[in-house]
Amino acid sequence: MDLNASVETLKGVGPKTAEILKKAGIRTVRDFFYNLPRDYENFQAATSISELRPGKVVVKGKIENLTSRRAKKRNLSIIEGLVRDETGAVKVVWFNQSYRLRQFAPDKEYLFSGTFEFKNGRFQLTSPSSALYTDVDLRSGLAPIYVAHGGLKSNDFRRFLNSARDKFAEIPDLLPTVKSGVRREALFYAHFPNSEKSIAGAREYLAYEELFELILAAKLNRRENEKLRATPVKFDAGKIRDFVAKLPFKLTNAQRRAAWEIFQDMEKNTPMNRLLQGDVGSGKTMVAALAAYEAFLSGGQVAILAPTAILASQHYEGIGPLLGGFGVKTALLTGATKKKPELKKMIASGEVNVVVGTHALLTDNTEFSNLTLVVIDEQHRFGVEQRQKLTLKSPKDKAPHLLAMTATPIPRSLQLTIFGDLDVSILDELPKGRQPIETKILPEIELSEKLYPEILKTVKAGQQVYWICKAIEDGAGGDNSGTNKADITSVKARTKRLQELFPKLKIELLHGKMKPLEKDEVMGRFSEGKIDILVSTTVVEVGVDVPNATLMIIENAEGYGLAQLHQLRGRVGRGSVKSDCFLLTSGDATPSRRLKELEKSSDGFHLAEVDLKMRGPGEIYGALQHGALDLRIASLSDTKLIQKAQKDAENFLKLGPGMLQYKELMDGISKYQQITTLN
Ligand code: ADP
Ligand code: MG
């Protein structure tokens, strides 16, 4: 069977479905089989409707009289109907699931699993999950649940898979380290479990397969990096000491340690491939400046890349003057730069030593005369392709040393497996004198009572406020996280409201759709303290440094991931004054565990670990790499399995060129290879 064939070759998958699947990253038959259930529902032991007791129940029946209506409150759509079996009928209710109206055939039997409870004067079945009776394994009662994609729900996935059932037998083996047939069996039972045990077996194999591929990719990367040549940069102890002595502050021990690790890497004639991880505010930029100075001393050029123009100019303003004091000529090159041709000439001739820029540095054909070090801030914002382009810009036959920086901590457990072969430096210490950020969850209802006085107090004290909104304009929505579009207040609407409320304050807005120049100007005014409240989208998420901002309000906080909230919060607490962060939740729902964790802890590493446990590695890594690496199941706490995969991958490497006969495996890991490598 050709696993690379398009999903459209599967029965029941037409062009429209294929289009939706494609958007979800499911393009081939392989992708389709590897789109594993996110969970399983147990429909075992259905109760007759006449015998239902309050609590979790399963019933089997046909659906009648489905209708939908709108609740006046909070823009909710309510779907109601009856489930009937031979013994009676029970009311069924769903909220905001209008697809239910189209899901059920009147003559077919379905299983429903949900809560049977007394509400509004009668008993009802509330928000049950459902499955076509014939889709559920009779012995186990288990039905897989899939992540919904653009209108395709679990029952659709089950239907497609059912018609592809006989194809599973044709799935070829992948790994030379397990018995023939194990892979096809695992994939089959993942979708058609006949017992809990069959699911466990399937997961174990698939987790092993995934770990094996990841670890193999990392090992191959390391080998390839070691084959490359770089210009060694000699460590100049005296000059570095002078530089450090002139800094306005003392380096933290963590900064010293990281710089030392970087200097040692750069002395080698193989390119450095190091990731500098440090929580927000830990001072990564200074470490980068030290590395840049060192490269300059050896006659090399340095490119420092930032994900946004705002950030690039901040870096430029932050380290330009500092480096300038030591004879380093620094330049800023972004989309908004004027006199670009002249500047590029100076870069090509080597007159400019350090170039700070955005993507523009890569897409414009900027030539360097002796590019020795590349620093990439918030590395996950850059695609693999862009990194490769940069390598092409270095002197002939030489790859630049590469330092990637990120504030999104990679949980240690993930690091050991996936990044086992990547060099990592960690800044686990904040500069002295930093005040903690006090974080509080606040239901929006208490806005005026609690928050408005806080804002006034902050501004009166001469400090500044960030107010983060999810959308730019009203009705634009923002996400699919369950927040209702109508509940989201946009940057524009919020700005207007705040201006009405606080007519004397200077309130401005910032969002990603503004022109780069405009954004820079607003950010500039905010930095200079000319704006009291900056209402913004997450464009301020990454790296922006305004120490005088001490209050952050994040509206619709439930709509963000834990890592992102932590990043956002890190925009305050950068000065010597205590800062506050308010997480606004809409409505009366109890705050999620995510928000509660954030309230409790300000340690990025701890939060990353929590996030990993709550969401699984796929999404964490997804945040790092836009989902390019989709870790589906690998259990990172299973050290035994990891050790086995490590040993097996090591042995497999000994095959050398013989590895190439495992074509599917080698093709497959090139995807991972691109991600774990930094160049
Ligand atoms: P991040 O790691 O989030 O990128 P930055 O590099 O932006 O952090 O540093 C945050 C702030 O801390 C900057 O204003 C920087 O000048 C300052 N800083 C960096 N190192 C130190 C230090 N050792 N002591 C005091 N302040 C420092
Ligand atoms: Mg930074």
Side-chain angles (χ1 to χ4, degrees):
M1 179 179 42
D2 185 7
L3 286 174
N4 289 319
S6 149
V7 275
E8 273 197 75
T9 59
L10 292 167
K11 218 162 53 189
V13 180
K16 241 174 98 185
T17 305
E19 195 50 42
I20 300 175
L21 290 173
K22 197 169 129 192
K23 284 206 186 102
I26 303 168
R27 293 155 196 274
T28 62
V29 173
R30 184 196 292 99
D31 297 337
F32 188 72
F33 288 148
Y34 274 88
N35 176 46
L36 300 168
R38 73 170 163 81
D39 205 352
Y40 298 87
E41 183 79 41
N42 197 334
F43 288 103
Q44 215 159 26
T47 313
S48 319
I49 287 174
S50 63
E51 287 176 3
L52 284 177
R53 294 278 168 274
K56 268 291 251 181
V57 298
V58 175
V59 296
K60 181 178 121 188
K62 293 177 182 170
I63 276 278
E64 290 176 3
N65 302 342
L66 265 196
T67 56
S68 97
R69 63 183 170 88
R70 294 232 142 244
K72 274 169 241 114
K73 209 181 120 206
R74 299 202 48 214
N75 204 20
L76 205 62
S77 86
I78 302 177
I79 318 293
E80 290 169 314
L82 284 179
V83 181
R84 184 179 296 283
D85 69 5
E86 307 80 51
T87 67
V90 57
K91 184 183 168 188
V92 58
V93 182
W94 287 286
F95 303 101
N96 281 345
Q97 298 184 12
S98 41
Y99 69 92
R100 296 285 184 189
L101 289 170
R102 297 176 302 275
Q103 186 190 344
F104 305 102
D107 55 335
K108 289 202 169 135
E109 281 190 303
Y110 296 86
L111 286 162
F112 299 89
S113 168
T115 310
F116 184 61
E117 59 183 358
F118 195 73
K119 266 231 165 122
N120 306 324
R122 63 184 289 186
F123 277 101
Q124 68 176 39
L125 191 55
T126 311
S127 296
S129 52
S130 68
L132 189 61
Y133 178 58
T134 49
D135 276 356
V136 177
D137 184 85
L138 282 182
R139 283 157 297 176
S140 65
L142 290 168
I145 303 172
Y146 297 89
V147 174
H149 290 295
L152 293 180
K153 312 286 176 190
S154 283
N155 55 301
D156 300 304
F157 283 102
R158 289 197 288 255
R159 183 159 42 86
F160 300 142
L161 281 155
N162 249 325
S163 34
R165 218 178 157 105
D166 51 348
K167 290 262 181 200
F168 279 82
E170 299 171 35
I171 296 175
D173 294 333
L174 181 71
L175 302 182
T177 50
V178 294
K179 273 204 304 246
S180 176
V182 169
R183 183 195 194 198
R184 78 180 73 107
E185 219 169 81
L187 283 168
F188 182 82
Y189 285 122
H191 296 291
F192 303 102
N194 59 13
S195 64
E196 297 280 353
K197 213 175 138 210
S198 69
I199 298 175
R203 292 187 76 95
E204 161 123 7
Y205 166 76
L206 290 167
Y208 168 78
E209 182 185 294
E210 194 166 45
L211 287 168
F212 183 95
E213 290 186 325
L214 278 172
I215 292 166
L216 183 62
K219 287 184 189 296
L220 282 170
N221 274 342
R222 179 122 205 159
R223 277 194 177 183
E224 267 159 38
N225 199 53
E226 275 161 8
K227 273 189 237 153
L228 294 175
R229 286 293 156 261
T231 314
V233 172
K234 226 181 113 25
F235 175 54
D236 191 334
K239 290 241 165 66
I240 291 289
R241 209 175 297 129
D242 289 347
F243 184 85
V244 171
K246 294 221 171 75
L247 290 177
F249 42 68
K250 245 183 99 199
L251 290 179
T252 65
N253 286 329
Q255 281 172 318
R256 279 173 199 281
R257 198 182 333 113
W260 175 239
E261 286 164 352
I262 290 164
F263 293 153
Q264 281 181 312
D265 276 5
M266 292 198 337
E267 279 196 305
K268 296 184 187 141
N269 62 359
T270 50
M272 167 167 74
N273 197 33
R274 185 168 285 274
L275 181 67
L276 177 61
Q277 276 189 68
D279 214 339
V280 282
S282 58
K284 293 184 289 293
T285 319
M286 191 46 60
V287 177
L290 280 163
Y293 183 52
E294 178 81 339
F296 158 80
L297 290 174
S298 79
Q301 281 177 305
V302 181
I304 299 179
L305 301 187
T308 63
I310 295 178
L311 210 58
S313 14
Q314 275 213 350
H315 281 336
Y316 173 67
E317 277 151 27
I319 64 177
L322 180 71
L323 289 169
F326 292 85
V328 185
K329 183 148 178 56
T330 307
L332 177 69
L333 184 63
T334 67
T337 302
K338 294 185 194 103
K339 296 200 176 164
K340 247 188 236 170
E342 285 88 336
L343 182 55
K344 281 191 184 172
K345 252 189 225 143
M346 288 162 74
I347 296 170
S349 71
E351 203 178 318
V352 168
N353 311 114
V354 175
V355 187
V356 185
T358 56
H359 301 235
L361 253 185
L362 308 180
T363 44
D364 291 7
N365 40 12
T366 317
E367 300 291 335
F368 289 82
S369 81
N370 187 18
L371 184 61
T372 305
L373 170 68
V374 176
V375 179
I376 304 179
D377 197 13
E378 297 304 334
Q379 66 98 9
H380 59 280
R381 301 278 160 146
F382 284 87
V384 171
E385 229 172 276
Q386 289 163 317
R387 289 183 211 153
Q388 277 164 352
K389 268 192 198 138
L390 203 67
T391 304
L392 295 178
K393 291 185 184 299
S394 13
K396 206 165 157 284
D397 299 330
K398 293 278 163 83
H401 295 287
L402 200 56
L403 177 67
M405 309 198 288
T406 180
T408 311
I410 297 164
R412 278 180 244 282
S413 47
L414 203 56
Q415 208 173 296
L416 282 174
T417 45
I418 301 165
F419 293 104
D421 290 300
L422 180 71
D423 300 311
V424 178
S425 295
I426 294 178
L427 298 185
D428 52 3
E429 186 186 348
L430 293 182
K432 280 215 179 58
R434 285 284 158 78
Q435 297 290 323
I437 307 167
E438 197 170 320
T439 303
K440 285 181 226 90
I441 301 170
L442 196 69
E444 233 169 275
I445 321 158
E446 297 174 25
L447 260 188
S448 51
E449 210 178 301
K450 299 226 168 121
L451 201 51
Y452 294 161
E454 198 71 34
I455 291 176
L456 284 172
K457 201 177 89 194
T458 304
V459 175
K460 275 220 181 88
Q463 292 146 20
Q464 294 160 280
V465 183
Y466 287 107
W467 188 304
I468 308 298
C469 296
K470 187 108 195 124
I472 299 173
E473 275 173 90
D474 268 1
D479 64 341
N480 51 13
S481 65
T483 321
N484 269 320
K485 281 183 184 177
D487 290 342
I488 292 174
T489 309
S490 67
V491 166
K492 289 185 181 166
R494 181 54 71 195
T495 307
K496 211 164 143 238
R497 258 180 249 178
L498 288 171
Q499 282 168 341
E500 285 159 12
L501 269 163
F502 305 113
K504 292 208 178 112
L505 302 192
K506 279 157 289 173
I507 303 171
E508 290 202 35
L509 54 78
L510 180 73
H511 58 74
K513 288 228 175 95
M514 286 161 55
K515 295 208 181 75
L517 217 57
E518 274 181 293
K519 279 192 275 193
D520 284 349
E521 279 170 17
V522 173
M523 235 17 251
R525 282 201 292 280
F526 192 63
S527 291
E528 291 160 22
K530 290 180 182 153
I531 298 174
D532 298 315
I533 307 179
L534 183 65
V535 185
S536 172
T537 56
T538 53
V539 288
V540 296
E541 175 190 343
V542 172
V544 172
D545 189 29
V546 181
N548 192 45
T550 56
L551 175 59
M552 166 157 292
I553 295 134
I554 304 175
E555 197 161 357
N556 297 114
E558 300 278 5
Y560 302 88
L562 189 51
Q564 200 178 12
L565 287 168
H566 180 62
Q567 280 275 315
L568 275 168
R569 177 173 64 176
R571 299 307 111 227
V572 294
R574 300 175 83 86
S576 52
V577 179
K578 177 185 155 280
S579 292
D580 291 281
C581 174
F582 287 94
L583 306 170
L584 301 190
T585 57
S586 47
D588 38 17
T590 45
S592 63
R593 165 139 182 244
R594 222 173 35 235
L595 298 191
K596 286 191 196 143
E597 289 288 348
L598 210 68
E599 209 175 25
K600 273 195 300 207
S601 170
S602 57
D603 176 351
F605 282 95
H606 167 74
L607 291 172
E609 216 57 69
V610 168
D611 211 17
L612 178 68
K613 285 206 189 90
M614 283 195 298
R615 298 195 301 163
E619 291 197 46
I620 302 275
Y621 214 140
L624 286 176
Q625 195 63 45
H626 295 296
L629 172 57
D630 179 10
L631 266 178
R632 294 174 179 89
I633 34 172
S635 167
L636 296 162
S637 45
D638 192 342
T639 38
K640 258 202 199 136
L641 198 63
I642 291 168
Q643 275 165 8
K644 179 170 158 44
Q646 239 148 9
K647 207 174 94 225
D648 291 351
E650 193 61 52
N651 280 332
F652 180 72
L653 271 176
K654 291 189 187 133
L655 289 180
M659 292 190 290
L660 292 175
Q661 65 185 317
Y662 298 95
K663 191 167 174 332
E664 194 195 340
L665 176 61
M666 296 313 277
D667 285 352
I669 63 163
S670 67
K671 168 179 93 181
Y672 295 129
Q673 251 190 300
Q674 289 183 337
I675 288 154
T676 50
T677 194
L678 290 177
N679 56 28

